[in-house]
Amino acid sequence: MAHHDITLPIDEAAVRSLRAGDTVTLNGTLFGIRDANQIAMFDHGRTTRFDMRGGAAIHTAPNVRRVPPSPQYPAGYAPVCIGTTTSARMERFTRPLMTQLGVRLIIGKGGLGSDSLDAFAELGGAYLAIVGGAAALETTWIEAIEDVDLDDLNPESLWRFRIRDFGPLLVGMDSHGGSLYADVAAQAQARRADALAALGVRS
């Protein structure tokens, strides 16, 4: 297990140095994505002016408030609570995020599935897990909302955050087929089988 301090954007070689179980702290730019903006881009052909190549994207629909644009609030939004949402329902967007927009790191809760794991292995990506219920802490890692695109979808706009010391995050899925979620599922199935056998129950 190793810890990685990463300044974004990140290249393929650096992503492939990450292994499931490692920890990561991020600095630089982070993009906020959610169901609506991905449906708009990948199902309906909308585009973004953001350059997301080598970037990290977090599954979120942040709670923000409108404020006059200023050096502190360049996009005219102040962060109130920027939490992370469950990733599983956005499974089908992992590959287009990587192939069409160049995203390499996805941050979320609960993990992704086998199609995402295949995409990470083929294209060079990883899934970083954040602890559920840590939204208040997570918000302190965001220095500013720098810009926003597709804002007609607010709060599921496409957000560009400036982050500092964002983490530590846990590498839950890597580019070598490693998945902590698959490991836990396999262990749970084995324990279930052992418990049923001890009770004399055939599964």
Side-chain angles (χ1 to χ4, degrees), residues 51-123:
D51 182 355
M52 300 174 71
R53 290 173 295 179
I58 186 168
H59 290 147
T60 185
N63 185 354
V64 300
R65 73 176 190 276
R66 289 187 182 272
V67 296
S70 67
Q72 184 178 3
Y73 305 117
Y77 285 104
V80 175
C81 185
I82 299 177
T84 308
T85 192
T86 303
S87 299
R89 66 181 182 279
M90 289 174 270
E91 164 78 6
R92 69 186 181 94
F93 299 122
T94 299
R95 185 172 290 271
L97 271 173
M98 298 182 72
T99 57
Q100 296 181 36
L101 298 181
V103 169
R104 291 207 177 271
L105 299 174
I106 296 175
I107 302 167
K109 293 190 305 189
L112 289 165
S114 58
D115 289 346
S116 292
L117 195 61
D118 290 344
F120 294 148
E122 179 184 337
L123 302 168

Side-chain angles (χ1 to χ4, degrees), residues 18-202:
L18 305 177
R19 297 283 181 162
D22 287 356
T23 55
V24 173
T25 299
L26 300 175
N27 288 279
T29 298
L30 176 64
F31 298 97
I33 58 174
R34 186 73 182 254
D35 311 56
N37 56 53
Q38 293 183 93
I39 290 169
M41 290 187 290
F42 304 127
D43 292 350
H44 302 300
R46 294 188 65 178
T47 59
T48 176
R49 56 187 166 79
F50 292 161
D51 182 355
M52 300 174 71
R53 290 173 295 179
I58 186 168
H59 290 147
T60 185
N63 185 354
V64 300
R65 73 176 190 276
R66 289 187 182 272
V67 296
S70 67
Q72 184 178 3
Y73 305 117
Y77 285 104
V80 175
C81 185
I82 299 177
T84 308
T85 192
T86 303
S87 299
R89 66 181 182 279
M90 289 174 270
E91 164 78 6
R92 69 186 181 94
F93 299 122
T94 299
R95 185 172 290 271
L97 271 173
M98 298 182 72
T99 57
Q100 296 181 36
L101 298 181
V103 169
R104 291 207 177 271
L105 299 174
I106 296 175
I107 302 167
K109 293 190 305 189
L112 289 165
S114 58
D115 289 346
S116 292
L117 195 61
D118 290 344
F120 294 148
E122 179 184 337
L123 302 168
Y127 180 87
L128 308 180
I130 194 164
V131 176
L137 175 61
E138 186 179 334
T139 304
T140 69
W141 301 336
I142 294 174
E143 289 192 318
I145 300 171
E146 289 190 321
D147 203 352
V148 60
D149 197 11
L150 309 182
D151 204 22
D152 57 301
L153 304 175
N154 190 294
E156 296 194 34
S157 310
L158 187 61
W159 302 91
R160 193 177 79 196
F161 305 120
R162 183 173 71 247
I163 58 172
R164 182 172 180 177
D165 296 333
F166 196 98
L169 309 171
L170 181 67
V171 180
M173 302 169 72
D174 64 27
S175 61
H176 308 281
S179 171
L180 299 183
Y181 304 97
D183 293 347
V184 168
Q187 292 168 13
Q189 286 297 320
R191 290 175 181 172
R192 176 181 181 274
D194 290 344
L196 290 175
L199 293 170
V201 177
R202 295 181 180 179

